[in-house]
Amino acid sequence: MKRILLLVTLLTASLAGFSQTAVKDTAKKDTAWKIHGQNTFLLNQSSFTHWAAGGANAFAANLVFDYDFNYKKDKWSWDNKVIVGYGLSKQAGTGWRKNDDRIILNSLLGYKAAQYWLYTFYANFQTQFTKGYNYNADDTRTLISAPFAPAYLTFGPGFAYKKSDNFRVNISPLAARITMVSNDSLSNAGSFGVTPGDKSLFEFGASLDGYLKFNLAPNISFENILKLYSNYLKQPGNIYADYAGNIFMKVNKLVTVNFGVELISDPNAKIPVTENGVTAEHSLLQVKQIFGAGLTYKF
């Protein structure tokens, strides 16, 4: 029930934001700031009755806020992106389970060095709203994540190639990365690479952050987001990688069909896997897919 209330609250907040857009648009025209984004509400449903081939009834709802706050004046620029997403799914025989849960804040401060090159300072923060579980075949569940468990903060100086708001790559050869695990049980278990009992892990290395968005057709766009991190202090060859690909298909001004996939390879994230009655933790490729049709409001 708490998860459903969270989704309803986020949807209400997005509707309230719609009414304020016209006022914000008037104000931002006279400044160096450019503010734009989109609110997306997706639905996915399947139902079967006396279906010979079989099938399970399922329903999913997702809400995503994706905002950009960009500043540019003289040689200075400051690009900020906020992504907030939450989703729930329900399949026959199971309760409500989340299928999306993220808070992502990106900030890139730049000073122009050449036509497309910038000296930069980069910061990224990521966490989630609610607890996450690994569901077992016997309907039991194991806690594997929680709010601020983990939370990641990455920052450091570097340089960037920025052709436009739709194509940029930032490299930071001296980047700090802090992993926070605020939940006591996860901290005591040493989850996400922390020493058992500690609430944080400090890493120092190099990071790469890339963004590319282009049109596949007049009404279809393809967004790519890539994050890489290598820790100089321990096994620099074990690279953290996070890739997200999103396809947006516009039907009309409000209706869209969206498909998204995210792949994460994190050496510090151990996933419990049970085989032949024995549970062991492994670092596995994490895959998330979301598909649905719904309403998208852009400004």
Side-chain angles (χ1 to χ4, degrees):
M1 180 60 68
K2 290 182 179 179
R3 294 178 177 179
I4 297 175
L5 289 175
L6 175 60
L7 190 59
V8 172
T9 300
L10 291 175
L11 179 59
T12 303
S14 70
L15 293 175
F18 294 169
S19 63
Q20 301 173 8
T21 302
V23 177
K24 290 181 179 179
D25 285 346
T26 301
K28 70 184 181 183
K29 289 178 182 177
D30 299 327
T31 70
W33 286 94
K34 290 184 179 180
I35 302 173
H36 57 89
Q38 61 184 27
N39 302 317
T40 303
F41 182 58
L42 296 177
L43 293 174
N44 193 340
Q45 188 265 344
S46 60
S47 178
F48 303 88
T49 303
H50 308 308
W51 192 253
N57 296 342
F59 176 81
N62 293 79
L63 183 62
V64 180
F65 301 154
D66 187 342
Y67 298 157
D68 290 283
F69 304 87
N70 298 333
Y71 175 87
K72 184 174 179 60
K73 188 173 183 180
D74 299 328
K75 290 189 175 184
W76 288 98
S77 63
W78 187 20
D79 297 339
N80 301 277
K81 177 178 276 291
V82 179
I83 300 175
V84 177
Y86 195 79
L88 295 171
S89 64
K90 188 178 190 303
Q91 188 172 343
T94 66
W96 289 96
R97 299 178 180 180
K98 68 178 182 179
N99 59 14
D100 191 17
D101 187 3
R102 52 190 164 133
I103 304 170
I104 302 174
L105 308 175
N106 282 324
S107 187
L108 181 67
L109 179 65
Y111 183 82
K112 188 174 182 179
Q115 183 177 5
Y116 298 123
W117 291 93
L118 304 168
Y119 302 116
T120 62
F121 188 88
Y122 168 77
N124 169 262
F125 176 79
Q126 296 184 223
T127 189
Q128 60 192 45
F129 287 106
T130 60
K131 293 181 178 179
Y133 299 92
N134 185 57
Y135 294 91
N136 304 312
D138 58 358
D139 290 333
T140 60
R141 62 183 189 179
T142 303
L143 179 71
I144 58 175
S145 64
F148 287 88
Y152 300 102
L153 176 62
T154 308
F155 58 91
F159 53 93
Y161 178 84
K162 182 181 178 182
K163 185 69 177 290
S164 67
D165 288 341
N166 291 327
F167 178 40
R168 58 184 180 272
V169 178
N170 182 76
I171 299 174
S172 178
L174 301 172
R177 187 170 191 255
I178 302 172
T179 302
M180 292 163 272
V181 183
S182 62
N183 181 275
D184 289 338
S185 63
L186 294 173
S187 169
N188 292 334
S191 299
F192 305 102
V194 302
T195 300
D198 288 351
K199 294 294 181 71
S200 65
L201 169 68
F202 177 80
E203 297 174 277
F204 183 75
S207 73
L208 181 147
D209 181 81
Y211 181 84
L212 173 63
K213 185 177 182 181
F214 58 91
N215 290 331
L216 297 174
N219 63 332
I220 303 176
S221 61
F222 185 21
E223 178 184 64
N224 299 267
I225 304 171
L226 176 65
K227 293 181 174 63
L228 302 174
Y229 187 84
S230 173
N231 180 19
Y232 295 150
L233 304 180
K234 184 180 179 181
Q235 296 180 312
N238 288 347
I239 297 175
Y240 169 89
D242 184 345
Y243 168 77
N246 301 297
I247 295 177
F248 306 102
M249 293 172 279
K250 182 179 179 180
V251 179
N252 56 39
K253 285 186 176 181
L254 289 178
V255 179
T256 60
V257 177
N258 295 6
F259 172 76
V261 61
E262 184 172 9
L263 309 174
I264 297 178
S265 176
D266 185 355
N268 292 329
K270 306 297 183 181
I271 309 299
V273 178
T274 301
E275 294 182 355
N276 300 322
V278 179
T279 300
E281 294 187 336
H282 303 276
S283 178
L284 304 172
L285 177 66
Q286 304 170 49
V287 181
K288 179 180 73 176
Q289 298 180 56
I290 294 177
F291 176 80
L295 303 176
T296 297
Y297 179 86
K298 294 184 178 182
F299 62 91

